[in-house]
Amino acid sequence: MEKTTNYSKIIAGTMTWGSWGKQLSTKEMIDLMQHCIDNGISTFDHADIYGDYTNEIEFGTALSQSKIDRGSIELISKCGIQHTGKTRDNKIKHYNYSKEYIIWSAEQSLQKLKTDYLDLFLLHRPSPLLQPEEVAEAIFQLRKEGKIRDFGVSNFTPSQIALLETAIPVMGNQVEFSLTADAVMYDGTLDDILANKRFGMAWSPLGNYFREDGEQTKRIKKVLAEYQRKYKADESQLLLAWLLQHPAMIHPVVGTTNPKRLKDSIEATSIKLELEDWFELLAASQGHVVP
């Protein structure tokens, strides 16, 4: 499997652009998209459920009113989660990966985003009822019709990907990965991405560092205080640099809408931590040195 190189190293996550966050206006979305592109961020990550199924249409409206060339950006979206909310009559959150639903969901995303194709289409979370052959039929049809280019998953384990690959190749996997949430380094997930040359993406790449004030984050803060001076970088940049150094070549999905932080994220891609510094941060996060 050839590893794709078409996506920007930093991906702009759009989950908080709409009603689940900053509630950006159309103009603000256009300005933020252009700022991303001007600073080397050309890939935008969506999911059908974001904003209670409203984010895609708001982003699509902004994109259609902008002067941005569709061919200069990459759009990712996800399907499968049946969310409970105001826009759908679901009595309980569940997953739907029937052939009909996958195709319908992809077509809905295309309509809302006002685009003819998705660069990457992901199954959002694994379902215990997932049937590989049914997924494959849907994806092959969407590809044949030119509606999607690449296919992948999100939050899947290596064994769940292996199950899918009995019927269809899986190009990428988007998972939770950060200095404070490193389970995927040890459960085979990143090994699978590296060994099979998948396109790896990390959601919540800064972890809980800015959200929690526990013993873990206090230990990390102490180390980062020294490294900010050493590397002339801020905490967010160093957290991203740590993640980016993993050989699986993970692409962080950065959820900020702050223009400066987006620019800083791109600058983090040029930071190379010394080997012992990388492991000192790992030890600070885990509370012990490696075995």
Side-chain angles (χ1 to χ4, degrees):
M1 185 186 301
E2 289 296 321
K3 187 160 188 171
T4 183
T5 56
N6 297 329
Y7 302 91
S8 56
K9 190 58 186 177
I10 298 294
I11 297 172
T14 66
M15 187 176 75
T16 64
W17 287 30
S19 65
W20 284 3
K22 297 298 183 180
Q23 300 182 1
L24 300 179
S25 66
T26 299
K27 183 182 183 306
E28 288 171 331
M29 283 198 182
I30 293 172
D31 291 344
L32 192 57
M33 279 187 270
Q34 190 61 59
H35 175 78
C36 287
I37 294 165
D38 291 345
N39 286 279
I41 302 174
S42 61
T43 305
F44 298 87
D45 180 75
H46 293 268
D48 56 353
I49 65 168
Y50 292 167
D52 196 14
Y53 300 96
T54 64
N55 264 35
E56 287 182 320
I57 194 165
E58 292 173 1
F59 184 97
T61 298
L63 180 60
S64 68
Q65 292 182 21
S66 74
K67 296 180 180 179
I68 296 168
D69 175 14
R70 172 65 181 92
S72 69
I73 64 172
E74 302 82 43
L75 297 178
I76 300 171
S77 197
K78 314 176 193 75
C79 80
I81 297 177
Q82 284 279 27
H83 187 63
T84 55
K86 298 177 182 178
T87 59
R88 292 199 182 178
D89 187 23
N90 295 319
K91 66 180 181 180
I92 189 171
K93 182 181 178 182
H94 62 285
Y95 309 116
N96 188 341
Y97 290 123
S98 68
K99 175 183 177 181
E100 293 76 16
Y101 183 79
I102 292 171
I103 292 171
W104 177 84
S105 185
E107 291 174 343
Q108 284 289 300
S109 290
L110 293 176
Q111 181 180 331
K112 292 176 180 179
L113 290 167
K114 293 183 170 56
T115 184
D116 295 329
Y117 66 94
L118 293 172
D119 295 271
L120 178 59
F121 189 49
L122 307 177
L123 306 187
H124 203 154
R125 286 191 178 273
S127 169
L129 299 180
L130 184 147
Q131 298 184 51
E133 293 79 9
E134 190 157 6
V135 172
E137 287 180 12
I139 297 305
F140 287 140
Q141 180 175 325
L142 288 168
R143 270 189 174 153
K144 183 179 180 181
E145 295 172 353
K147 294 175 180 176
I148 67 171
R149 294 189 171 177
D150 285 329
F151 165 68
V153 295
S154 184
N155 305 298
F156 275 54
T157 66
S159 65
Q160 290 164 339
I161 292 175
L163 175 63
L164 255 183
E165 288 201 315
T166 61
I168 186 171
V170 175
M171 189 277 286
N173 192 9
Q174 184 178 128
V175 296
E176 181 180 17
F177 178 41
S178 66
L179 180 59
T180 62
D182 64 5
V184 290
M185 286 203 303
Y186 302 100
D187 66 7
T189 300
L190 296 192
D191 298 336
D192 171 77
I193 289 172
L194 181 58
N196 292 288
K197 297 182 173 61
R198 303 193 203 281
F199 174 44
M201 299 154 279
W203 57 267
S204 192
L206 302 182
N208 64 18
Y209 182 80
F210 293 104
R211 298 195 304 264
E212 298 182 11
D213 188 27
E215 290 304 313
Q216 181 189 43
T217 52
K218 287 177 181 176
R219 292 192 302 266
I220 298 170
K221 284 178 189 292
K222 185 177 180 181
V223 177
L224 286 183
E226 174 190 345
Y227 289 173
Q228 286 180 74
R229 294 188 292 272
K230 179 175 181 178
Y231 291 98
K232 296 181 174 57
D234 67 22
E235 295 164 295
S236 295
Q237 290 176 312
L238 291 168
L239 291 170
L240 289 175
W242 183 89
L243 180 155
L244 288 161
Q245 208 147 318
H246 192 279
M249 298 174 62
I250 301 300
H251 293 232
V253 180
V254 177
T256 184
T257 59
N258 182 298
K260 182 181 184 302
R261 286 186 60 195
L262 285 163
K263 186 173 185 295
D264 289 345
S265 297
I266 280 291
E267 293 174 357
T269 63
S270 64
I271 299 172
K272 176 73 171 178
L273 299 176
E274 293 181 10
L275 182 63
E276 291 191 23
D277 293 348
W278 191 93
F279 277 97
E280 186 172 16
L281 282 168
L282 178 64
S285 174
Q286 296 182 342
H288 57 79
V289 298
V290 296

